[in-house]
Amino acid sequence: MTPNIGKITSQQFHDWIVSIVNEGIFISRERLTALLAKKSPHEALEEEFREFFNGYYALALELEEHEELVLKIIKATDALAHLNHRVSAVEAQRKSSPLGREARRMGLSLHSAPVPKIKVAALSVDEFQTLMRTLGNWQIFVSRERLVKLMKTEKSSEIAERLRAEFCEFFVSYLELELFLENYDYDPDDGLELRPEFIEELERETEYIRSGGKMYTLEEVAEELGIDLKCMN
């Protein structure tokens, strides 16, 4: 169940944050930084960036549904007023919808979504390394370290309040990272080999359709499962 972070207790919030700060993107960032420091081969950086991007995707899945509530908390809290101009900048510059951003993370695109300007696969070695350094030094990683430090501090009402405030800082940094990546066209599955069992299954499905098998629309599947579809925009 998704927690309502505006209503859960300090302990519940602390426990939830544990999973956030341990997402794969933070582990991958350390490896990526080490590879850059050692001037590792380009192929090693490309492979680690795939892990980094998949970790970012997992983090986004965890955080994006809390966006509306977090932004309300920021706007209603005087101590967080300094974050408002950063939030406004993100909202003003965003070009895609939540569904469009979801599709982009999966290497897909919507007809109505803007086409990213920069293809990661077309970057030169130097340009790719510059991108990796930019991502590795993003503010979200600094904020994550502050969260971890606060979580290790002896619990008190003051620490609990600071933890929630730092999380809002962390969340805004995440929004800024999301906005930055909006300009990059990248498919983490590009170049990966398909597993033989997947190819066989795909061929069976293709043959089934060719022989007259029925394809179901999303609406038909939803009706069969008793799910109400909602438009995201």
Side-chain angles (χ1 to χ4, degrees):
M1 179 182 295
T2 302
N4 183 331
I5 59 175
K7 295 183 178 180
I8 58 179
T9 66
S10 296
Q11 183 59 52
Q12 290 171 328
F13 184 75
H14 179 282
D15 294 343
W16 178 65
I17 289 293
V18 170
S19 65
I20 300 297
V21 300
N22 287 316
E23 286 284 0
I25 185 174
F26 302 110
I27 299 170
S28 181
R29 183 258 183 175
E30 295 302 315
R31 292 197 298 258
L32 193 61
T33 301
L35 288 172
L36 285 167
K38 293 188 295 185
K39 298 182 179 181
S40 299
H42 182 67
E43 293 75 15
L45 287 173
E46 285 186 316
E47 183 176 346
E48 191 55 52
F49 178 59
R50 179 179 288 114
E51 296 299 321
F52 180 95
F53 192 90
N54 285 331
Y56 147 71
Y57 182 26
L59 180 67
L61 285 176
E62 185 68 45
L63 293 181
E64 63 186 352
E65 58 192 304
H66 300 286
E67 180 175 332
E68 183 177 356
L69 177 56
V70 173
L71 297 190
K72 282 182 178 179
I73 292 173
I74 290 173
K75 292 174 182 178
T77 306
D78 291 341
L80 299 174
H82 62 286
L83 296 176
N84 283 323
H85 74 280
R86 291 169 61 187
V87 172
S88 296
V90 169
E91 293 176 334
Q93 295 176 62
R94 269 179 171 172
K95 302 180 184 71
S96 59
S97 66
L99 186 58
R101 292 190 289 276
E102 170 73 9
R104 179 187 56 74
R105 294 186 210 112
M106 298 174 67
L108 306 173
S109 63
L110 302 179
H111 291 299
S112 59
V115 178
K117 297 179 180 179
I118 306 169
K119 289 186 175 294
V120 173
L123 295 176
S124 67
V125 172
D126 287 344
E127 289 171 335
F128 185 78
Q129 289 186 359
T130 297
L131 174 61
M132 296 304 100
R133 290 191 181 93
T134 299
L135 293 173
N137 290 320
W138 207 265
Q139 182 64 27
I140 192 172
F141 300 109
V142 178
S143 185
R144 185 258 184 184
E145 291 305 307
R146 290 198 295 258
L147 279 174
V148 171
K149 185 176 181 179
L150 284 169
M151 293 167 64
K152 294 178 179 179
T153 305
E154 186 175 352
K155 296 177 184 177
S156 67
S157 58
E158 179 186 356
I159 292 299
E161 184 176 343
R162 287 173 58 190
L163 187 63
R164 288 180 186 263
E166 185 59 49
F167 174 74
C168 289
E169 295 260 5
F170 173 90
F171 197 95
V172 172
S173 295
Y174 150 73
L175 294 180
E176 292 168 335
L177 176 62
E178 178 99 310
L179 177 65
F180 177 78
L181 289 172
E182 192 175 72
N183 289 321
Y184 287 85
D185 182 5
Y186 177 70
D187 180 1
D189 295 329
D190 187 31
L192 295 180
E193 294 185 7
L194 295 178
R195 296 194 305 272
E197 58 268 28
F198 176 81
I199 296 176
E200 292 175 4
E201 179 64 24
L202 186 60
E203 290 174 346
R204 284 195 295 268
E205 292 293 332
T206 301
E207 183 58 35
Y208 170 72
I209 298 301
R210 286 174 179 168
S211 62
K214 177 176 173 57
M215 293 183 67
Y216 293 89
T217 66
L218 180 61
E219 289 76 12
E220 289 173 328
V221 174
E223 182 179 359
E224 179 69 22
L225 298 176
I227 299 173
D228 292 326
L229 291 179
K230 295 182 179 179
C231 180
M232 297 178 63
N233 51 45

